[in-house]
Amino acid sequence: MNSSLQLSADGRLRHLLTVEGLSRGLITQILDEATLYTGGGRKLPLLHGKTVVNLFFEPSTRTRTTFELAAKRLSADVLNIQVAASSTTKGETLLDTLKTLEAMQVDMFVIRHEASGAAHFFAQHAAPGVAILNAGDGRHAHPTQALLDMYTIRQHKPDFTALTVAIVGDVMHSRVARSDIHALRILGAKEIRVVAPRTLIPSHIEAMGVTVFNELDAGLQGADVIILLRLQKERMVGAFLPSTGEFHRDFGLTRARLAKLSPDVLVMHPGPINRGVEIEGEVAYGERSVILEQVEHGIAVRMAVMGLILGSEELQHENRRQRAPMNHAPR
Ligand code: NCD
């Protein structure tokens, strides 16, 4: 998939389809910009008069609602469309949907679809000036999730070059894992590990610059950050695991396992969590967990992306000037 589609000739973000191909400078700019939006606060006029459509062909709770809140906090008009997912949805149907909605003068589409490449397809066919944000396409990419994950890590551990990050669980079916790996590489993480049973590790993943572990304790040894992934049964065709009970025994993050690790290790999960499968309930909301921070940061990061793509230069400048003193305000 062509990642240059998302950048204009002068390197600015036009769409956000994938983390792949973004520069460290651009990612850092998005994260810096997001610091302006943390902590809620009053509505900002950045997207006043713009229309954002959330077009979700797959279920979502936090991604859709945080995109909606982000757009509303920037004063956009927001429309939510939940389309019943059909595995046979094909290009022509998507194109018809896009053209129909475009006729309503939409400025930005936030799209989640079960097919890898759906957001690229929309970006290729969108009218000039219409922006596409990928909110998850199949197993391929989930760029805003990766950006909010990087934001959350950076709040606690600002030096990526010192970090060992373990991504644990259903890597095979996870667009979050792929986008996180790209982002961590671009930001210069010291070591990226993927930890899972053999059946849940995609072949050739080493080419992405990660080390593979098939045993949990070894994979967690010395980790600074643990990113857990949900077992994505809806994407599993056939048997990948003997049972979820066995998966929990061998790969679930429990209090006992956590106790053996560094006391300042961060526990992350994009949600929704499967309690008692990849994570023990008490670990999910325990003191090492930053899972709810991830949700909160999702709003700020999505505001930053939307503002950078759709906000006028003038309003963006004004916004930075007004909000800058709040930068890094203690929370
Ligand atoms: C993730 C997704 O949809 O890819 N969730 C999310 O966006 N918060 C991960 C998942 O569904 O397991």
Side-chain angles (χ1 to χ4, degrees), residues 62-63 112 142 145 175-176 230 232 234-235 270-272:
R62 66 218 82 211
T63 303
R112 167 168 288 193
H142 194 350
Q145 179 70 43
R175 51 198 177 204
V176 176
R230 182 175 66 88
Q232 304 202 15
E234 74 277 19
R235 293 190 213 288

Side-chain angles (χ1 to χ4, degrees), residues 89-246:
T89 306
K90 284 288 184 336
E92 226 174 41
T93 321
L94 276 183
L95 193 56
D96 286 342
T97 313
L98 173 69
K99 292 298 165 197
T100 307
L101 289 163
E102 259 179 13
M104 302 173 199
Q105 310 293 328
V106 171
D107 299 286
M108 177 178 271
F109 289 97
V110 178
I111 294 165
R112 167 168 288 193
H113 196 280
E114 65 189 348
S116 299
H120 281 73
F121 178 86
F122 268 81
Q124 267 156 358
H125 294 92
V130 174
I132 307 295
L133 300 190
N134 185 3
D137 62 328
R139 308 173 181 194
H140 172 241
H142 194 350
T144 56
Q145 179 70 43
L147 292 169
L148 74 89
D149 287 349
M150 298 308 115
Y151 186 91
T152 306
I153 294 173
R154 195 176 77 160
Q155 293 283 91
H156 294 269
K157 296 176 187 276
D159 180 9
F160 280 86
T161 65
L163 292 185
T164 296
V165 181
I167 301 176
V168 182
D170 188 359
V171 182
M172 176 73 94
H173 301 98
S174 178
R175 51 198 177 204
V176 176
R178 280 173 190 74
S179 289
D180 276 344
I181 292 169
H182 284 301
L184 287 163
R185 282 208 63 187
I186 295 166
L187 293 174
K190 186 174 80 181
E191 190 183 344
I192 309 166
R193 301 172 178 174
V194 292
V195 187
R198 270 171 236 286
T199 47
L200 293 180
I201 300 274
S203 49
H204 310 302
I205 189 143
E206 292 89 346
M208 291 185 78
V210 301
T211 322
V212 175
F213 288 77
N214 299 121
E215 204 270 311
L216 184 60
D217 287 322
L220 295 183
Q221 188 69 44
D224 303 291
V225 177
I226 304 170
I227 300 176
L228 299 167
L229 303 170
R230 182 175 66 88
L231 273 187
Q232 304 202 15
K233 294 209 182 114
E234 74 277 19
R235 293 190 213 288
M236 293 185 191
V237 182
F240 281 83
L241 292 170
S243 72
T244 47
E246 225 166 291

